Every structure is written in C-alpha cells, then in structure tokens.
C-alpha cells in the first residue's frame, strides 16, 4: 500500500479507497471471551484529528512512509504528535464544542511499548466499542475493519507488534441508510472510541470461549457447558478441559476435540432470581504444566420460559416490572462507568422495578455483569431500528454479526433473559425474511433465552398485527395512546380485539413532560399531562390478561437532534427522570406505585 514513487498524488484519483480495507474484517468469528483475563489498558490521551475527507485512508497516512521525489522529501498533510489530544474512551462530541455535531471519520493515534512476558504468547487488541466503523492499523499495516457501534471486537496482533508501536484507528461515525442502525434514529449519533481499549496476553493454546448455563428442562438441576479452545497456530486443539464449580463440588473433565467440548453436569443448584441473585464462581482450564490456560467467571443459573401468554422465571410466573433506558449521559454521552450503571439500577429499584430494556443497541458490557450481581433482568437489543435496508444482503450480514457479537459477549449472564432483534419496522416481505432470520439465529446460538422485538399494531383495525410475531417467544409492543395518538380509548380496544396467544410486553409507552413545566393535565409537554397519561396507561394495562410486563419509555431524558421545539431543545423529554439523572417527574411515582401494587 505504499505510494508509487513519483506519483504521490495517486490517492486523489482513488474513489474506491475503502475497498482495500473492507477485505480485512473483524467479526463475531474472531471474538474471544476475555472475561476476567488480565488486561493492559490503552485508555488515556490519544492524538486525534477529524478527517472529513477521509484522507488517512485515501492517502495511506497510517503507513507512515516518507515519500520522496527525486530524493527530496514531499510535504505531508498529517502530523500525529502535532494533533490535539483527546480522551479514550470518550465520545468526541462532548470532548470539544467544535466536535459536537461532527459525524465523519476521526483519526486516533498513539504509541505503546510491548515486551513479551512468556515464550510463544499471543497478543490481542480489544475494543469494547467504536462508533461506527473502526479501521485499525498497527505499525503501518491494516489489522482489520469492524462495523457496528456497540459491540466489541478484537484482533490477534502478535505478528504485527514490535517493541515500539504506533496504532492508528479511524473511527467513522457517518450515518448511512445501509448501516445498523440506519441514518434516521431517535437518539444522538455519538462518534469515537467511546469504550475501553486494551491488550490481552494469551498463551499459544487458549480458551476462546465458554457458555455455561442451566438446562432449560424445568428440572433445574443440569448445567450445560460448551467450551471452545483455540490454538493460535491453527492446529486443532485436542485434550481435556477441566470445569470446576467449588461451591457445588463440581470437578468435571470435558473432552475437547478439534477445539470443541461439551458437557452436561448434574448439581444441586441454588437458582438465580431477582430476590436472590446467587452467583457461582467457576473456573475452566485447559492444558498442562506451564502451558495451562485458566479462565474464571461468576455465573447464575436460572430458567426463563413462556407458556401461553405467561412468562416463567424458574417455574414461577413473573410480571416484568421494568423501564427502558438509553445509554445517554449528559456529560459522557454513550460512555459509561460502573457507578452510572449502579445508579441506574438503584433508580429502577426505587421504582420497585426488576427489569430493564436496554434500548436500542448493546449497552456497555459491565451492565449485564452488574445486573447479574444486583438481580436485575435485562432485555438486550440490536439497533435494527425503523427503516433498515432490509433487502440489502450486506446490511443483513452486519445485523447478524452485531447480534452474534452481543450474544457471545453476554450469553453467560443470567440477568439477560431476552434478545430483541429490532424495533418498529414496517411489515414487508424483505423485513420479515431479515428479522425472522435474526430470530432464528438468536435461537440457534442460545436456547436458554427468549427472543422478542418491538412489533406493530394495525392502527386502523385496532389490533396487534405483525407477521414477525410468529417467529418470536414474546411479543413486544410500543404504543403511544394519549400522546402521538391523543385518542387514548383506542388502547383498551386494541387490547380487547387482540388474541396474541403469546406473552405481550408493552416495551414502550409514555409522553414528553419537561421537568418543572406545569399546567393542566391537558397541556402538552407538562409534567401534569405526562402524569395523567401514565395513570391512564397503568389502569388499562393492568386489566389485560396477556400483558406480561411493561417498560415505559423512558427512565431518563436523552439527547436527540430530531427534537427541536422549545420544550425539547434537542432532548427527548419522555424521561421519568430529567437528563440530570436526579430530578424525578411526577410520573415516576405513578410507576413506583403501580409496581408496588
Ligand atoms: C418510539 C421509538 C423510540 C422513540 C420513541 C419516541 O417508538 O422506539 O426510539 O424515542 O418512540 O419518543 O417517540
């Protein structure tokens, strides 16, 4: 990829410059479970420049060659160390005022030093979230391209790493009709390397992944285990893995052939549930002597099932008392931390809730881990949102890959009970094929959870009607009666007219009420109107026999460029709590009372 000598401007004629980077994909097949492995952080200050014209990729800046013409140096248009320094992880939009609305490609770079610690070790670089496309280069060479703003990816960089290294990451946050999500969403399109980056050292033969869960057979005493072992040299890993769960006196050998091992183990298990989020320490090892690789996790065992129109957790009927939440924070945007997650869960509990819909994309990996500890149930979702390019095969690949990465990341988390494959998509043939394939993919990868999506209502016939519901375990419905459709009386009619035969969760309802805005219960944008709307909703919903849960829209106000009236001012104001994440609106207490009762 070096510039041809004497032709240093060749890049300006290269319109198809992205192609060369797209051959090197990083996707779910590369993903390594790094839970509890020792990591070396690459967070901190990186040099950064917004690259509006994609010159880094067009002109191969990352190659860091010094082109000459007739032995004289030619001028370069970049200067890594001369660039400003930006925080990683962070969304660039909130780092500098001039980057607030920037939606192009930003180039990040830094150096790091690497000295191997053990013979034959592999080195992995891991990104927890880069919005949206990331193109990673190390020491002048491409490492890979990843699509999807909210799922992790990693690459084995053993062959490219040196003692002194320069890494260059192009983070391209451009919206596009072909991406997941597409260009029009009801949330802010934050850009940048906004989640952690780190290095992980792995032995030559290592445990790539594990999936440990309760067999969903209604008996609650069988643990199912899948282990994947990878040999970096590509030779098949054969041998025996050892799974230990000391508290259950489990010490089970698992035969591994061609990198795969499975087991069924009987044990007398204390089940995980919101009232008693019991987690067991587990360890898995593979190999012998100095070459042994050991991983650790903390796993809860629980069963989630449906029968008729009811949902059962560990055989007991459950009503999902929840609320939706975006990963949007006033000063951090989509970047989060454990304290913010814990506070979100405290706010949910104050509302007497046990369940969160993490809308509309995969949230930070720490969320499900903390929810495991805190006994909170989760709906996790991929951003197949509104008018996706359902007939485009590449768009499907992207969606399926994001779903796979999410499932691989979180399938050991007891808290996660539902995978959602999308939100409010028009019922067309291409959409049905696209989303039913995703639902099937989720079931194939994970038989221990339910699959759902926010489906459609026929607003003319006043009926829950969506062909996708045939492929789902739980039907999600978003309805805004009393708000977008002021005629609230349609809601009881829809509920009475429908006979879905499956559990229905109302995964959105609500309306905007700006904090402190007062008026009568008929005045739009007031806390008073929002409160009455909630009262009407809960009165109606609690009478409907097939509703198995509710997650009103939404816990906190969030930033959204589509919302531009004087009350909104760039925010969706449907929060039960203001964007300050502190000030409660009266509707919060309506939900609190409903869930208490
Ligand atoms: C919806 C969407 C959600 C929006 C919400 C609203 O149906 O699923 O993303 O933010 O309505 O406020 O309009």
């Amino acid at each position: 990829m070096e510039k041809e000598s004497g032709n240093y401007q060749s890049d300006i004629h290269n319109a198809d410059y992205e192609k060369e980077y797209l051959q090197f994909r990083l996707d779910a097949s590369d993903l390594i479970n790094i839970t509890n492995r020792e990591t070396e952080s690459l967070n901190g200050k990186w040099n950064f420049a917004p690259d509006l014209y994609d010159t880094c990729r067009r002109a191969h800046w990352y190659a860091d060659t010094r082109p000459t013409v007739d032995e004289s140096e030619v001028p370069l248009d970049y200067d890594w160390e001369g660039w400003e320094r930006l925080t990683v992880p962070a969304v660039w939009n909130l780092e500098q005022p001039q980057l607030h609305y920037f939606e192009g490609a930003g180039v990040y770079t830094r150096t790091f030093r690497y000295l191997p610690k053990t013979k034959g070790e592999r080195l992995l670089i891991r990104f927890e979230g880069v919005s949206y496309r990331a193109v990673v280069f190390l020491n002048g060479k491409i490492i890979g391209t990843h699509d999807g703003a909210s799922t992790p990816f990693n690459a084995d960089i053993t062959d490219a790493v040196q003692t002194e290294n320069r890494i260059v990451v192009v983070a391209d946050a451009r919206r596009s009709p072909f991406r997941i999500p597409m260009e029009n969403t009801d949330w802010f399109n934050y850009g940048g390397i906004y989640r952690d980056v780190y290095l992980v050292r792995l032995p030559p033969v290592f445990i790539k992944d594990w999936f440990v869960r309760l067999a969903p057979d209604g008996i609650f005493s069988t643990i199912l285990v899948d282990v994947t072992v990878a040999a970096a040299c590509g030779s098949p890993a054969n041998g025996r893995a050892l799974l230990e769960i000391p508290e259950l006196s489990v010490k089970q050998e698992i035969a591994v052939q061609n990198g795969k091992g499975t087991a069924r183990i009987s044990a007398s298990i204390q089940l995980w549930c919101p009232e008693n989020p019991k987690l067991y320490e587990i360890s898995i090892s593979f190999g012998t002597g100095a070459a042994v690789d050991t991983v650790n996790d903390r796993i809860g065992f629980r069963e989630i099932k449906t029968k008729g129109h009811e949902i059962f957790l560990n055989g007991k009927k459950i009503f999902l008392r929840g609320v939706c939440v975006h990963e949007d924070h006033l000063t951090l945007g989509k970047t989060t931390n454990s304290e913010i997650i814990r506070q979100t869960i405290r706010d949910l509990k104050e509302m007497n809730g046990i369940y969160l819909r993490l809308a509309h994309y995969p949230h930070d990996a720490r969320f499900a881990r903390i929810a495991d500890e805190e006994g909170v149930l989760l709906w996790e979702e991929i951003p197949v949102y509104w008018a996706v390019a359902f007939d485009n095969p590449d768009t499907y690949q992207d969606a399926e890959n994001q779903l796979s990465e999410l499932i691989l990341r979180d399938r050991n988390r007891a808290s996660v009970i539902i995978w959602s494959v999308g939100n409010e998509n028009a019922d067309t043939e291409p959409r049905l094929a696209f989303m039913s394939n995703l639902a099937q993919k989720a079931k194939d990868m994970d038989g221990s959870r339910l699959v759902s999506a926010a489906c459609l209502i026929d607003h003319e016939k006043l009926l829950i009607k969506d062909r996708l519901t045939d492929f789902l375990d739980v039907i999600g419905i978003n309805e805004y009666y009393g708000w977008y459709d002021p005629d609230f009386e349609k809601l009881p009619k829809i509920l009475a007219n429908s006979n879905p035969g499956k559990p229905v969760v109302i995964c959105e309802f609500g309306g905007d009420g700006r904090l402190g805005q007062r008026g009568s219960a008929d005045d739009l944008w007031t806390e008073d109107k929002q409160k009455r709307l909630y009262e009407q909703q809960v009165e109606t919903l609690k009478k409907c026999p097939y509703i198995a849960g509710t997650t009103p829209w939404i816990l906190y106000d969030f930033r959204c460029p589509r919302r531009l009236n004087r009350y909104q001012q760039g925010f969706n104001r449907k929060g039960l709590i203001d964007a300050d994440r502190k000030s409660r609106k009266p509707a919060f207490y309506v939900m609190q009372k409903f869930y208490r009762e």
Side-chain angles (χ1 to χ4, degrees):
M1 289 183 205
E2 278 174 32
K3 290 182 187 188
E4 293 166 50
S5 105
N7 187 14
Y8 64 91
Q9 284 192 322
S10 58
D11 53 86
I12 62 177
H13 302 296
N14 180 9
D16 211 5
Y17 62 95
E18 278 208 280
K19 211 163 111 198
E20 66 184 283
Y21 310 115
L22 294 179
Q23 317 161 41
F24 303 95
R25 288 286 186 171
L26 297 172
D27 61 23
S29 66
D30 302 296
L31 203 64
I32 294 175
N33 189 339
I34 45 93
T35 304
N36 289 332
R37 284 199 186 263
E38 204 177 302
T39 58
E40 291 158 55
S41 175
L42 290 183
N43 293 347
K45 293 287 181 193
W46 291 47
N47 291 98
F48 173 86
D51 182 15
L52 273 79
Y53 291 0
D54 280 341
T55 316
C56 179
R57 277 175 290 174
R58 288 179 197 269
H60 308 113
W61 286 352
Y62 57 85
D64 235 350
T65 48
R66 309 267 139 186
T68 54
V69 172
D70 299 334
E71 290 175 18
S72 306
E73 224 180 291
V74 296
L76 292 176
D77 290 322
Y78 68 94
D79 172 10
W80 306 134
E81 299 298 332
W83 287 358
E84 288 178 85
R85 285 157 73 74
L86 229 63
T87 306
V88 168
V91 296
W92 62 49
N93 316 75
L94 300 175
E95 282 282 279
Q96 292 180 343
Q98 71 272 26
L99 293 176
H100 190 73
Y101 289 115
F102 178 57
E103 293 190 290
V107 182
Y108 288 84
T109 182
R110 64 165 284 165
T111 56
F112 67 91
R113 205 174 152 76
Y114 166 68
L115 294 171
K117 283 188 186 160
T118 51
K119 198 162 164 275
E121 78 180 20
R122 310 297 302 179
L123 189 68
L124 198 76
I125 188 161
R126 168 85 166 201
F127 293 85
E128 290 297 324
V130 179
S131 174
Y132 169 94
R133 170 169 288 167
V135 194
V136 181
F137 303 96
L138 184 65
N139 300 327
K141 297 204 183 69
I142 178 143
I143 296 299
T145 300
H146 178 263
D147 278 348
S150 307
T151 46
F153 59 96
N154 53 241
D156 185 328
I157 53 170
T158 316
D159 298 334
V161 76
Q162 304 162 4
T163 307
E164 303 295 341
N165 299 279
R166 169 157 304 277
I167 180 165
V168 175
V169 178
V170 178
D172 183 347
R174 203 163 290 163
R175 283 172 296 124
S176 140
F178 303 106
R179 288 186 176 176
I180 300 291
M182 51 81 86
E183 60 194 337
N184 186 26
T185 65
D186 198 45
W187 66 85
F188 196 93
N189 178 37
Y190 291 109
I193 306 178
Y194 71 97
R195 288 184 185 153
D196 295 334
V197 187
Y198 33 78
L199 301 171
V200 187
R201 295 168 198 257
L202 296 168
V205 179
F206 60 90
I207 297 170
K208 185 180 180 198
D209 203 3
W210 58 96
F211 185 18
V212 181
R213 71 281 184 197
L214 188 70
D217 57 8
I219 300 169
F220 313 125
S221 61
T222 306
I223 296 171
L224 301 180
V225 187
D226 290 298
V227 188
T228 311
V229 180
C233 58
S235 56
N238 295 318
R240 302 190 87 71
L242 181 68
L243 169 84
E244 293 185 76
I245 311 178
E247 216 185 318
L248 292 175
S249 308
V250 167
K251 216 171 189 178
Q252 171 89 26
E253 282 206 344
I254 303 171
V256 174
Q257 278 224 311
N258 289 324
K260 299 268 178 210
T262 64
R264 291 177 72 87
I265 301 165
S266 296
S268 168
I269 301 159
Q270 205 183 319
L271 298 175
W272 182 98
C273 62
E275 305 74 45
N276 178 26
K278 171 69 190 160
L279 298 176
Y280 289 94
E281 301 280 344
I282 70 142
S283 74
I284 307 172
S285 21
F286 184 85
T288 47
V292 71
D293 184 32
T294 303
V295 292
N296 301 290
D297 207 341
R298 290 175 75 210
I299 303 238
F301 298 102
R302 56 100 192 100
E303 185 194 76
I304 189 82
K305 275 203 165 164
T306 67
K307 194 168 166 217
H309 55 245
E310 291 171 342
I311 299 178
F312 295 85
L313 179 71
N314 302 331
K316 290 193 201 102
K317 186 178 155 185
I318 188 170
F319 184 86
L320 299 174
R321 308 191 305 268
V323 63
C324 296
V325 65
H326 256 299
E327 203 171 39
D328 190 75
H329 187 276
L330 208 50
T331 53
L332 299 178
K334 226 171 146 349
T335 301
T336 193
N337 58 47
S338 301
E339 184 39 43
I340 292 174
I341 295 168
R342 288 189 189 280
Q343 185 56 47
T344 306
I345 291 176
R346 282 196 288 272
D347 292 341
L348 168 77
K349 290 188 176 176
E350 185 188 323
M351 202 199 276
N352 299 311
I354 52 165
Y355 165 64
L356 287 167
R357 175 184 182 200
L358 302 184
H360 279 297
Y361 38 72
H363 287 214
D364 191 281
R366 283 167 290 191
F367 213 116
R369 307 197 72 82
I370 296 176
D372 266 15
E373 292 169 12
E374 292 287 332
V376 169
L377 302 163
L378 298 178
W379 155 307
E380 293 200 338
E381 176 168 344
I382 52 165
V384 175
Y385 184 89
W386 291 354
V388 163
F390 288 116
D391 49 7
N392 184 316
D394 291 341
T395 308
Y396 178 78
Q397 271 319 313
D398 186 3
E400 192 190 275
N401 185 57
Q402 291 187 40
L403 177 68
S404 305
E405 288 174 338
L406 171 62
I407 294 177
L408 291 175
R409 194 192 72 180
D410 284 356
R411 63 183 176 170
N412 287 305
R413 307 281 65 89
S415 51
V416 180
I417 53 166
I418 295 178
W419 302 124
S420 168
V421 296
N423 183 77
E424 290 179 352
N425 322 91
D427 191 358
T428 61
E429 288 300 328
R431 175 269 197 163
L432 186 64
F434 189 110
M435 293 185 66
S436 60
N437 283 341
L438 289 178
Q440 192 54 47
K441 178 75 185 174
K443 285 171 188 269
D444 292 346
M445 287 183 72
D446 178 7
S448 65
R449 288 183 176 77
L450 308 175
V451 177
S452 190
C455 301
L456 300 171
I457 293 174
D458 184 330
H459 295 282
E460 298 201 336
K461 297 202 178 100
L462 297 182
L463 198 64
I464 299 171
K465 192 159 165 269
D466 186 332
R467 291 178 291 167
L468 183 64
T469 59
D470 292 344
F471 300 88
L472 305 175
D473 302 310
V474 173
I475 302 170
I477 293 295
N478 298 347
E479 51 88 3
Y480 284 92
Y481 290 98
W483 184 249
Y484 292 123
D485 186 336
D487 183 1
F488 183 79
E489 286 317 311
K490 286 183 185 164
L491 179 61
K493 288 185 193 143
I494 289 167
L495 299 177
N497 291 348
S498 308
N499 183 13
K502 291 183 182 183
V504 173
V505 295
I506 305 295
C507 44
E508 288 179 31
F509 69 84
D512 292 63
R514 191 191 162 105
L515 182 75
Q517 191 71 35
R518 302 304 308 267
S520 85
D522 292 320
D523 292 333
L524 291 174
W525 316 106
T526 60
E527 292 182 342
D528 309 74
K529 164 102 187 162
Q530 190 192 39
K531 175 168 181 256
R532 192 190 52 192
L533 198 154
Y534 268 74
E535 287 164 349
Q536 288 175 311
Q537 285 279 347
V538 299
E539 275 318 304
T540 306
L541 296 177
K542 72 184 176 197
K543 286 187 212 130
C544 178
Y546 54 76
I547 289 177
T550 47
T551 47
W553 191 254
I554 186 170
L555 188 54
Y556 309 112
D557 289 353
F558 60 95
R559 207 172 255 119
C560 176
R562 297 169 69 245
R563 307 293 184 170
L564 294 174
N565 76 27
R566 71 184 66 186
Y567 307 102
Q568 298 165 319
Q569 296 180 332
F571 283 80
N572 186 310
R573 303 279 182 197
K574 293 191 186 67
L576 295 169
I577 300 178
D578 183 73
D580 69 6
R581 294 194 171 221
K582 289 194 179 80
S583 316
R584 276 100 175 105
K585 303 178 195 172
F588 178 90
Y589 300 102
V590 178
M591 285 315 293
Q592 186 186 55
K593 179 162 174 280
F594 172 47
Y595 286 156
R596 187 172 52 234
E597 290 165 358

